[in-house]
Amino acid sequence: MCALARPTAVTIRPMRRADVRAAFRVERDAYGSQSPRTSFRREILNGLAQYLVADVGEDAPAPPQVRDWWARAVQFLPDRLPFGPSGAPIAGFAGAWFTHDQLHLVTLAVAPQYQGRGIGQALLLAVCDLAVAADLDSVALEVRSTNARAVSLYARHGFRSNGRLRNYYADNGEDALVMLLDGLDTPEGRAALDARRAEHAERYGVGFVTRSD
């Protein structure tokens, strides 16, 4: 396991083919046999899907001031360094599908050794930004009914319960809770999203940068 004693710089960017093996490892370590193996190679070629990864630079310089970090967050930077298996460790990933009226978060995982450091929340915020950029009003997801930690995470970021799918998970017949974050196309919804970004930055004090590659 990797100890993250120093400030950590996290770059969220689109998943590439070179990341697939590392993403499989994160998925296996985070979920074990609870989740079927994701076809990352197929998903990154799916024009209606977007998969993101969180690269971690450990020994990174101190992050920017909290008041500056989100202003710098969405940057379109040239690809200067190798990532994935030969570069910065992949700490987590998220995948979303676009529909005509909303974004569907289909998966989010953080490697156990990086959990509790705000990386899952940063990925969730980045997914919400995908919805905003696509002029979509809402983000929907399913989560295991017994996964109290994930349910709490989503609730803290404005998701509300929107139903239950009985016997949804094939491995054990567990129910899924459907959760929804809407209002992203309103000034109030976007202001709430900005507030959650600021709260996240203040709590974790980590420099998160989103790249479009």
Side-chain angles (χ1 to χ4, degrees):
M1 294 181 62
C2 183
L4 301 183
R6 299 188 182 184
T8 300
V10 179
T11 300
I12 297 174
R13 59 169 177 80
M15 184 181 288
R16 299 193 289 261
R17 290 183 66 181
D19 302 316
V20 166
R21 288 188 178 181
F24 279 140
R25 288 195 295 271
V26 172
E27 184 177 54
R28 178 200 63 203
D29 293 345
Y31 293 123
S33 62
Q34 280 194 315
S35 179
R37 195 162 149 140
T38 302
S39 180
F40 294 112
R41 290 185 178 87
R42 182 181 64 200
E43 289 291 80
I44 60 180
L45 297 175
N46 180 356
L48 297 178
Q50 177 70 74
Y51 274 67
L52 306 172
V53 298
D55 282 326
V56 177
E58 296 176 58
D59 301 323
Q65 295 297 316
V66 168
R67 65 176 180 273
D68 297 333
W69 86 268
W70 193 255
R72 304 177 186 181
V74 181
Q75 299 185 48
F76 299 89
L77 302 177
D79 191 9
R80 297 193 179 108
L81 296 172
F83 291 94
S86 61
I90 291 177
F93 65 82
W97 293 344
F98 293 86
T99 69
H100 73 283
D101 60 351
Q102 71 179 193
L103 196 67
H104 184 187
L105 176 62
V106 294
T107 185
L108 191 155
V110 176
Q113 64 267 36
Y114 292 104
Q115 291 177 8
R117 299 184 179 272
I119 293 171
Q121 295 181 51
L123 284 162
L124 182 60
L125 288 167
V127 167
C128 292
D129 283 340
L130 292 177
V132 171
D135 294 323
L136 297 174
D137 172 67
S138 60
V139 178
L141 59 89
E142 296 85 34
V143 59
R144 289 178 184 267
S145 58
T146 58
N147 191 344
R149 183 174 181 178
V151 172
S152 176
L153 166 67
Y154 297 133
R156 287 201 312 272
H157 284 270
F159 285 78
R160 57 182 172 81
S161 178
N162 195 45
R164 179 183 290 260
L165 299 175
R166 300 289 181 183
N167 305 315
Y168 182 78
Y169 292 98
D171 64 322
N172 63 0
E174 186 176 346
D175 292 353
L177 300 180
V178 180
M179 301 189 75
L180 182 71
L181 173 67
D182 56 9
L184 292 176
D185 62 349
T186 67
E188 295 81 7
R190 295 190 183 188
L193 187 59
D194 288 341
R196 286 190 285 273
R197 291 183 186 121
E199 180 184 355
H200 179 265
E202 183 174 3
R203 179 175 181 181
Y204 292 100
V206 174
F208 287 92
V209 175
T210 301
R211 296 164 38 129
S212 70
D213 282 5

